[in-house]
Amino acid sequence: MPKLNIRQDRFLKALLESSTIDEACTTAGINRTTGYNYLKDPTFVSEYHALKEKVLDHTTECLKRASEEAVAVLTEVMNDEKASTQSRLKSAQNVLDVACRNRK
């Protein structure tokens, strides 16, 4: 499979970080027409989707790790007899809410 050229690569990365295609074009230092032409190129689109998937996978993994830490904190507060009753109840409620939502 052919690789992207430097300008396409720069635009590809800018697309992932920008709110709009026009903003990505500006960030990548290309004109709008060039950016939109890249978006019609099957190789570019394939690379874009692959990179976007990789970024989403990484984000999902980060969220999984953070959620494990969050559950540990909630459990710690829930079981801490020195914590206020309100804090313990709120932690228990959060644990139950998430557990019930994830069953579906």
Side-chain angles (χ1 to χ4, degrees):
M1 180 186 322
K3 292 284 185 185
L4 302 180
N5 66 44
I6 293 170
R7 289 169 23 133
Q8 288 173 317
D9 189 59
R10 198 169 40 228
F11 180 57
L12 176 69
K13 291 173 182 158
L15 270 176
L16 294 174
E17 298 172 356
S18 302
S19 307
T20 65
I21 295 170
D22 289 348
E23 182 183 327
C25 290
T26 301
T27 300
I30 61 172
N31 66 46
R32 273 179 97 242
T33 304
T34 301
Y36 281 94
N37 284 337
Y38 289 163
L39 290 169
K40 294 176 187 173
D41 179 90
T43 301
F44 181 87
V45 172
S46 177
E47 290 289 325
Y48 173 69
H49 288 301
L51 186 56
K52 191 173 175 181
E53 187 70 27
K54 185 177 178 181
V55 168
L56 289 173
D57 287 347
H58 175 71
T59 301
T60 300
E61 285 304 312
C62 289
L63 286 171
K64 284 179 184 178
R65 283 192 301 276
S67 66
E68 290 171 6
E69 292 173 21
V71 169
V73 169
L74 287 171
T75 303
E76 184 179 324
V77 172
M78 182 179 71
N79 293 323
D80 184 356
E81 293 181 11
K82 294 179 183 175
S84 70
T85 302
Q86 182 179 7
S87 294
R88 293 179 71 203
L89 287 171
K90 186 66 175 170
S91 293
Q93 179 184 8
N94 283 330
V95 169
L96 288 172
D97 286 348
V98 171
C100 289
R101 259 187 271 139
N102 286 330
R103 279 190 52 142
K104 297 176 182 177

